[in-house]
DNA sequence: ATAAACTTTCAGTAATTATTGAAAGTTTAA
DNA sequence: TTAAACTTTCAATAATTACTGAAAGTTTAT
């Protein structure tokens, strides 16, 4: 497999993976492109490489910046803006986990808490609703807390010690 | 908040959460409904409760069964089929994590491995592609392995000890 | 102040994904 | 074996989501 094919395969795969962690294809592809680029890219570069429109590129870059994954880079002597992405995978994972937690998990936890806190009127169905949503609330909260803590660890050595524990 | 409102809120929230962990709204809603039901439900029950068509109900129940989250239940004296979902959240989480790993994460890991294994032609851009996809490959593989191991633990006490480690 | 170089916005359109409903298929009881 | 009770399939359609391109907006150099 040559460079070109490998690159396209990576961008394509990352793009379709994007949809599953809640961001759209173009957004994931732009990030992928920047991730393997040796230097910051401008809008023209991205449009041309991914064959997408100016508007699409602009909007998705904006979103990536909102997530905190992509930053503007000023290149002296150049008028236009350049973009680059976080290059450290550990840090990238940390940012993504944090944002997803904030945007998606936390609101769900809030609803689960509210729903599981309704007054027990004694009926079987109310008891079941309370019991099940409470269980889900605990699980979701624990999982969320754990992921956040795990991601906050700067080094990978921790992962190793968690692994050992899980033998 | 009364039972009815709480139930609707739970089903609605779970449904929209569904889209983000890769299953569609109806599928997630059916699962939510079964999850808080005190007894197995038949197709009519589900259709009526969620206001969705027979075809939709049938197809999504099928998918839920493919995932291994929902099972058919035979009720003696009844001709039609009834359905119920896994009621233990721990087990539910385990099934979902396993399936997602198998369906989505594993294929990505495979591509990352292939892409990161291309021949180094000495150029800077090839070196960068290899370096970055290799880092992503390692991270994804570690995270996947860890989640699978965590989920395999039957008890919750383990989570507590992992938490301690992460203080 | 002007105009060139560049970016953003957004209404319209295209692409994708979910849903319906009716016909075809299956099972069971008599 | 027939027909009623039930489930599945799938082509048509609806709903949602993504993308385009051109106009409006912004910045910078002169």
């Amino acid at each position: 497999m040559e460079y070109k094919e490998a690159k396209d395969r990576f961008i394509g795969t990352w793009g379709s993976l994007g949809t599953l962690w809640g961001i759209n294809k173009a957004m994931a592809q732009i990030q992928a492109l920047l991730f393997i680029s040796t230097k910051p890219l401008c809008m023209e570069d991205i449009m041309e490489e991914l064959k997408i429109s100016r508007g699409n590129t602009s909007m998705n870059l904006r979103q990536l910046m909102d997530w905190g994954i992509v930053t503007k880079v000023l290149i002296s002597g150049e008028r236009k803006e350049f973009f680059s992405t976080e290059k450290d995978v550990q840090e990238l994972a940390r940012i993504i986990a944090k944002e997803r937690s904030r945007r998606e998990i936390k609101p769900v936890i809030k609803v689960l808490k509210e729903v599981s806190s309704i007054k027990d009127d004694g009926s079987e169905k109310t008891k079941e609703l309370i019991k099940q949503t409470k269980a889900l609330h605990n699980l979701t909260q624990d999982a969320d807390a754990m992921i956040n803590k795990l991601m906050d660890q700067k080094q990978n050595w921790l992962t190793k010690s968690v692994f050992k524990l899980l033998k």
Side-chain angles (χ1 to χ4, degrees), chain A residues 68-159:
Chain A
I69 292 173
V70 162
T71 47
K72 277 186 186 167
V73 179
L74 288 182
I75 293 191
S76 55
E78 286 278 11
R79 174 115 165 230
K80 62 192 169 194
E81 298 169 328
F82 286 78
F83 302 89
S84 77
T85 191
E86 172 61 50
K87 286 276 190 165
D88 177 56
V89 288
Q90 208 82 16
E91 180 61 13
L92 191 62
R94 203 187 64 74
I95 294 172
I96 292 171
K98 271 259 153 64
E99 280 294 295
R100 292 211 84 191
S101 169
R102 187 176 69 74
R103 292 168 192 237
E104 295 152 1
I105 318 293
K106 292 272 167 28
V108 170
I109 290 176
K110 186 159 167 288
V111 173
L112 288 175
K113 187 178 176 183
E114 287 168 18
V115 170
S116 66
S117 304
I118 62 167
K119 188 171 102 282
D120 184 351
D121 62 11
S123 75
E124 198 192 351
K125 59 186 192 177
T126 301
K127 280 186 194 307
E128 183 71 5
L129 175 67
I130 291 172
K131 178 178 152 222
Q132 291 298 80
T133 52
K134 201 167 267 175
L136 222 38
H137 177 252
N138 290 337
L139 179 82
T140 313
Q141 197 159 51
D142 283 359
D144 181 60
M146 177 146 135
I147 286 173
N148 278 306
K149 281 191 176 176
L150 261 180
M151 290 299 170
D152 261 348
Q153 309 295 134
K154 283 294 183 301
Q155 286 85 10
N156 187 254
W157 60 261
L158 183 95
T159 312

Side-chain angles (χ1 to χ4, degrees), chain A residues 13 16 30 50 52-53 61 85 139:
Chain A
T13 306
S16 55
I30 292 172
L50 303 179
I52 59 179
S53 73
L61 275 171
T85 191
L139 179 82

